Structures are given as structure tokens and as C-alpha cells.
Amino acid sequence: MFDLTFSTAHPLSAYGWDQGFAESFVPFAEQGFLPGRIVRVDRGRVDAVVPDGDGVRTVLADTALVATGDPLRVPCTGDWAALDLGNGRSGAHVDGVVRALLPRRTAFVRSTSSKRAEGQVLATNLDHIVICVSLAEPLDLGRIERFLALAMSSASGEGPLDTSALAPAGGAQPVIVLTKADLAGAPEGLAHLVTDAESVAPGVPVLAVSSATGDGLDVLRAVLAGGTSVLLGRSGAGKSTLVNVLVGEEVQLVQAIRDRDGKGRHTTTTRDLRPLPGGGVLIDTPGLRGVGMWDAHTGLARTFSDVEELAEECRFHDCAHRGEPGCAVQEAIDSGELSVRRLESYRKLQRENQRIVAKTDARLRAELRRDWKQKQALGRHMMERKRGPQR
């Protein structure tokens, strides 16, 4: 049976194996299965690292036995799995099968681009979610807020989560990395861009880095050491180049961005987990064209904590912040404390998240329908009062 005694010298410790995962694996060890961390998923099969003496080896395993109709519970890069390498061969060049997935601690989930209300898990068991934003183009604060809301919801119930093992903050720690800092111009301009990013990310580290010059990379390496991190961002954000620099070798193809629109070409096509020389592991992801909300109520509250704190000071608890008397949010806008752009971004993401949740929650859908009818009735009543009695 696999030795479950945990120590820093354990062959899987470099990939994030710890006492908590060891305890979760006990029932599977008794059945003769091996623990493994999924480092890549490809068409019903996964590559996973498993212990092999004092080191590790990579095996190919079939996922048919854990296939499910729930897209949030399919094997994903970053998952810890129970692997049957003894009796689980299911085809040529396949070493075994995945028998079960261990409970996830965190997961980054977005809604799919399809019209169906489905979530897609991009990476699991994360300690850091690194949001890459290129400074080779104008800074999109709304996109940063969108990523942050999802990152801060990484422990709000997506997939088979183990809530007893969550980080103190309730999920993975987001980090904003402003890439291509060497293209930002004068140091004063770069400082302003960092300040702008910090203004929409309360309590979140913002790092400006350059893969070309090496500026800021030592700080980023220190942040990523000893945990599991995922790089997220649109195509052309410099993720592949950053992965190559952090890993210390050319593991990802790099292509130039398109001149006509500044967008990148997809050079990364799979989500791969790789060990870092200074400790920790890194998951690289393909460029994301769209990042839809998915059950991000908790993350929205944390991302827009300034807006929600102001809303608590409004005279009416159901204030819509559209001119009602005693509206603290409107007063903050008038004084310049809060920008109109940030409030509109908050409203937009709230509406989007509410629509997604309503598609999967019949009770909420009924509440929204009832609220809409009440607003329609109130509107008709106010219009009749304005017109006066009809003769």
C-alpha cells in the first residue's frame, strides 16, 4: 500500500501534496490505488504525476469511470486523483484509470460561452490566481474587476470543494500582474498604471513585471513559491513568455500579437501544470476571449467592497442608487470618491451574475419575475399619478 506518511521529502510534496490530501486519500490507499496530480487533460484522458520511489513519473490514465454529466465535476488540471494502475488498463498506451477525484479546496470557474447555463472549471486546488494584464495596450479596469470577482469566488461552492481546508481568506489569493512593463514608458507613467489597478483591487497585490528586462520577476517568484498558481488572461497578455521565464526553459511557444488590433494568437492550447525551480507549481492556460460570471456573489461583494460599504449607509435598504434621497453612493459619486465607471461596472457584473444564477435556480428565477412585476406595477401607478384623474 502507498505510504501516506507526509513529510517535506515526500516525492509529491513539490506538487502540493500535504497532510490534508494524505488524510483524504486513506480510503483509496486501502484499495491499492496511487495518488496522482493531474497535470494535463486531453479528450477523456489525463496525464498525472505519481510517486515512483524517491521521485515521480508521469502516467496516462483514462477518465471514463469518473465521467459525469456535470461539467463542474469533470477531471481538471490541478485535481488530485486516485489512480488504478494495476487493473485499470483500458487501451493501448494507457497506464490505468482514474477511480476518483479528491475533494477540491479551490476552483476557478467561469460560465461557458454557449447559451446553456453551464460552468467551466479552468484550474483547481489553487493558492494563487494570477491575473495577467498587458501594458502594451490601454488598461481595461473593467476586465480586471471581472477576473477579480471570479477569483474571489474560487471557494464559493464550485465543484466538489473541501471547505474545511480553505485558506484563511476563504479561497485562492488573487494577484494582478501587469506584464510588458517595459512598454509602459516613463517610470511615472508606470506608477500611475499600478495605482489605477490598485484602485479597483482593494487588498490585492499588484505587480508590474517585464519578461524582457526581468524587472519585478524576483518579487513574483517569491509570491508563487511553495504553492499552486494559475496564470489567467486574454491572448497576447504575455502569459506564455512569462511561463518560459518562470520555469526556466522554453516550454511554451510564443507568437507575436496582431498589429491591427493588438490581440494575441492562441499559442497555448491546453492547461498544463509545471513545477517551478524555486518551489511551487504553475498552471498555464490558453488565452481567454470571454470570462462570464458564474455564481460570483461572494467575489463581487469582495471586489466591490467600497461600493457595498457605501450602500449600507443609504437611507433606504433597497436603494437603487439612481437619485433616491439619502443615497450615500450618489453622494460619493458627486464628491469624486467613487467613479461612475466603477458603479456601472458593479451593476453590469451584478446583473450578469444574477441572470446566470437564475438560470439554474428556480426559486431565484421566480423572485426576479415577481420583483419585475412589482416594478412594472409601480411604474404604471406613478405614471397614472403624473397624468392626474381622467375625465
Side-chain angles (χ1 to χ4, degrees):
M1 186 177 76
F2 172 69
D3 182 11
L4 291 176
T5 304
F6 173 74
S7 72
T8 55
H10 192 284
L12 288 176
S13 63
Y15 286 84
W17 183 259
D18 59 24
Q19 188 62 42
F21 288 123
E23 293 173 356
S24 298
F25 192 75
V26 170
F28 304 107
E30 294 172 349
Q31 301 176 59
F33 302 151
L34 277 179
R37 189 157 201 194
I38 296 175
V39 298
R40 181 173 179 170
V41 178
D42 187 18
R43 298 179 182 179
R45 295 180 177 180
V46 300
D47 289 335
V49 289
V50 298
D52 183 23
D54 294 332
V56 297
R57 63 188 175 100
T58 303
V59 298
L60 180 65
D62 193 281
T63 62
L65 295 181
V66 293
T68 171
D70 186 350
L72 296 181
R73 294 179 179 272
V74 299
C76 180
T77 303
D79 274 332
W80 285 97
L83 301 171
D84 184 353
L85 304 183
N87 303 306
R89 293 182 181 275
S90 58
H93 310 298
V94 177
D95 301 298
V97 296
V98 177
R99 292 288 183 178
L101 300 179
L102 298 190
R104 294 167 177 166
R105 295 180 179 175
T106 54
F108 186 92
V109 185
R110 67 168 179 175
S111 64
T112 60
S113 58
S114 67
K115 295 182 179 179
R116 294 178 296 178
E118 292 184 350
Q120 180 189 22
V121 185
L122 298 184
T124 64
N125 296 313
L126 306 167
D127 297 295
H128 296 96
I129 296 175
V130 181
I131 302 167
C132 296
V133 181
S134 172
L135 293 182
E137 57 186 2
L139 195 61
D140 188 341
L141 298 180
R143 175 172 286 267
I144 293 177
E145 290 165 337
R146 177 177 290 272
F147 271 99
L148 275 178
L150 289 171
M152 290 184 172
S153 297
S154 61
S156 60
E158 302 86 344
L161 292 182
D162 177 11
T163 56
S164 65
L166 294 177
Q173 169 66 48
V175 180
I176 298 173
V177 172
L178 305 180
T179 64
K180 306 181 183 182
D182 54 298
L183 302 180
E188 296 80 8
L190 177 60
H192 283 303
L193 291 171
V194 172
T195 300
D196 287 344
E198 290 174 338
S199 70
V200 301
V204 176
V206 177
L207 307 177
V209 306
S210 170
S211 298
T213 65
D215 290 344
L217 291 178
D218 287 343
V219 177
L220 180 58
R221 288 190 181 97
V223 170
L224 304 184
T228 299
S229 306
V230 62
L231 295 187
L232 300 171
R234 62 181 292 181
S235 296
K239 299 188 306 301
S240 296
T241 303
L242 189 57
V243 168
N244 290 338
V245 172
L246 293 172
V247 173
E249 57 181 296
E250 297 291 322
V251 295
Q252 292 288 15
L253 177 67
V254 177
Q255 295 184 9
I257 62 174
R258 295 194 295 261
D259 292 333
R260 69 175 184 274
D261 57 11
K263 294 183 179 179
R265 302 177 177 90
H266 283 290
T267 56
T268 304
T269 57
T270 59
R271 299 189 290 274
D272 298 313
L273 184 149
R274 307 178 189 279
L276 295 173
V281 292
L282 184 65
I283 300 174
D284 188 19
T285 63
L288 302 175
R289 291 191 179 93
V291 186
M293 291 290 101
W294 181 263
D295 194 13
H297 175 75
T298 302
L300 283 169
R302 294 176 61 188
T303 301
F304 293 93
S305 59
D306 53 341
V307 179
E308 300 222 335
E309 288 172 3
L310 287 169
E312 291 178 357
E313 300 175 9
C314 291
R315 182 184 303 176
F316 304 109
H317 73 278
D318 59 348
C319 182
H321 320 309
R322 297 186 184 277
E324 294 88 344
C327 177
V329 173
Q330 189 60 53
E331 290 175 2
I333 289 178
D334 294 341
S335 67
E337 178 185 352
L338 180 69
S339 69
V340 173
R341 184 215 63 80
R342 183 156 171 81
L343 177 60
E344 289 305 314
S345 178
Y346 172 69
R347 286 171 170 162
K348 177 182 178 180
L349 296 179
Q350 285 279 19
R351 289 194 302 268
E352 181 181 331
N353 188 65
Q354 198 171 49
R355 286 196 302 268
I356 289 294
V357 175
K359 288 181 179 180
T360 58
D361 188 328
R363 184 174 62 179
L364 177 59
R365 192 160 56 246
E367 290 177 355
L368 290 175
R369 189 180 300 113
R370 183 168 59 252
D371 182 61
W372 176 248
K373 288 181 178 179
Q374 290 175 348
K375 290 180 178 179
Q376 284 184 316
L378 178 61
R380 287 194 298 268
H381 173 68
M382 297 302 294
M383 185 61 67
E384 289 172 357
R385 288 187 58 184
K386 183 176 180 179
R387 290 174 179 170
Q390 300 294 320
R391 293 184 179 179

